[in-house]
Structure formats: C-alpha cells, structure tokens
Amino acid sequence: MFKDRRHVWKEEAIAVPKISAATVVQHRAQQERLILDAAHAILEETGDVTSMREVAERAGLARSSVYHYFGSREALLNALVQDVFPKWTERVTNAMAAEPEPSGRIIAYALANVQLVEEGAHAVGSALAALSPGEALNEQATQMHRAIQEPLIETLTELGVQNPEGLGELINSVIHASTRLLESGQQPEQVYAGLTAVIGPMAREMQSQKVQEIKGA
C-alpha cells in the first residue's frame, strides 16, 4: 500500500513540467498543443480516446500532467471539438470565398468538405460525433456543424432557393455519400469528379434561374 502511494507521489513529481517557453502562458499553450496533437493522432488511428493514460503516453508526459491541463476525458474531448471544427470551417469558408459566382461557391463547399475527409481531418470529427460523452459536447458539436454549413445556406439564399436549409441537407447527403466512397477505397480524383458531376449542374442551373429572374424583373 505504502509502496503504491510512493509511486503515485513519484509520478506526480515527474508530472510537473519544466518551463521551456518564454512565459508560463506560452508554456501552457505548448503543453496543451502537445496533448491535443496526441489525442488527435489516437482518434485518427483508432476512432476513440480510451484513456487519459494513453494520451499521456503518446504525448510523452505523465498522466497527471494531462489531468493538470484537462481535468477529465470529457474536458479533453470538448477541447478537441473546439480545436477541430473552427479549422474545418475556415478551410471551407476560404474555398468558397475564392469563387466569384454562387454556383462556384456551392461546388467549392462540396469539394472542400470531401478533400478534408481525404486528408484525414474527418476521422477526428466522425470519432467525436460517435463518442457522445455528454450533452454539452453534443450541443457544441452541433453548433459547430451549423457554423460549417452556414456559408452554404447563405449562398443558397442568395440564389433565391425557397428552402435553403432543406436543399443544404440534400447537398450534404451527396457529400456524405462521397466521403463513404473515399473511405471504401475509391480514388480521390474519381470521387471529386463524381461529386462535381452531381453538384455542378444543379448549382449552375440555380444560378441561371436567378439570372433569368433578375433580367425578367
């Protein structure tokens, strides 16, 4: 019993990291980044974060160090959601912003989402969505998913679509089908071409109708 307790004290002593950054704030940010990267890698490889010890081992830290920065597994998962989805949103938004026409923005939205899957980012998002560790995390993930879809809804609204949310769901269902093709082993170029073949004509037709409406007015 006493031997085990001494072992815990030893681990806790090791867990206090030396400050290598210029400030304590910078050091904390570095350690949190190290832990998040370790958790990301585990999620991409296994689809789950089974324990804080596993994350600590991957990060090269004592388990108590991980708990020092993230008090629980759920807290770590919340941090992962905050880390992953804003970057996803930025990537999609930037791809759409580079297109001058609404139809091009719709195609860019679809392609950017599937490209992120091909690059491995989707593995983290999918794993987090499947874990369901608590209502707070689920609500946070839902809000961030909405943020990702928001520029698509805005573009569909600009085109005068009567039910932009419904059509947005339809477009996302095509995107999800494309991601499943990727995950089944189909070549990315084939998936991108198929996605564009489905989304492209629809997007261009909507834009053409909008142009005709403007001319008719």
Side-chain angles (χ1 to χ4, degrees):
M1 176 179 177
F2 292 106
K3 183 178 180 180
D4 290 342
R5 183 57 184 165
R6 286 196 299 272
H7 176 74
V8 173
W9 288 338
K10 182 179 179 181
E11 183 183 27
E12 289 175 348
I14 294 173
V16 179
K18 294 181 180 180
I19 297 177
S20 57
T23 67
V24 174
V25 173
Q26 290 176 353
H27 175 75
R28 182 179 183 87
Q30 288 177 1
Q31 295 297 96
E32 289 179 350
R33 181 73 265 158
L34 184 66
I35 294 167
L36 287 171
D37 287 345
H40 282 168
I42 293 169
L43 273 174
E44 289 178 354
E45 293 170 10
T46 68
D48 196 355
V49 176
T50 57
S51 70
M52 299 289 268
R53 181 182 292 278
E54 181 183 22
V55 175
E57 290 175 355
R58 177 65 67 96
L61 300 170
R63 182 176 59 173
S64 53
S65 286
V66 177
Y67 277 109
H68 176 72
Y69 294 102
F70 302 101
S72 65
R73 179 171 172 271
E74 183 170 340
L76 177 58
L77 291 171
N78 270 284
L80 282 168
V81 172
Q82 293 175 352
D83 190 55
V84 170
F85 283 99
K87 294 176 182 177
W88 188 299
T89 304
E90 181 180 11
R91 173 74 172 271
V92 172
T93 301
N94 288 343
M96 295 179 72
E99 297 292 334
E101 300 293 337
S103 59
R105 293 200 292 274
I106 293 171
I107 298 169
Y109 170 88
L111 288 174
N113 274 283
V114 177
Q115 286 165 357
L116 281 160
V117 174
E118 195 273 326
E119 293 169 11
H122 186 258
V124 177
S126 295
L128 291 171
L131 292 178
S132 300
E135 291 183 4
L137 177 57
N138 291 337
E139 177 60 25
Q140 185 182 58
T142 298
Q143 290 176 356
M144 290 185 176
H145 274 299
R146 289 172 182 163
I148 292 172
Q149 296 177 18
E150 186 174 330
L152 173 64
I153 302 303
E154 290 176 351
T155 301
L156 294 173
T157 301
E158 179 183 343
L159 288 172
V161 174
Q162 291 184 355
N163 183 12
E165 290 80 10
L167 184 55
E169 288 297 324
L170 179 60
I171 292 171
N172 281 312
S173 69
V174 177
I175 293 170
H176 294 157
S178 298
T179 65
R180 287 195 293 272
L181 291 175
L182 268 181
E183 292 164 351
S184 70
Q186 191 167 125
Q187 291 299 311
E189 292 75 14
Q190 292 178 317
V191 175
Y192 301 153
L195 179 63
T196 303
V198 174
I199 300 293
M202 178 179 63
R204 288 188 287 271
E205 176 62 22
M206 286 189 294
Q207 181 168 313
S208 176
Q209 289 179 0
K210 182 64 175 179
V211 170
Q212 293 300 320
E213 289 177 6
I214 293 174
K215 288 182 177 179

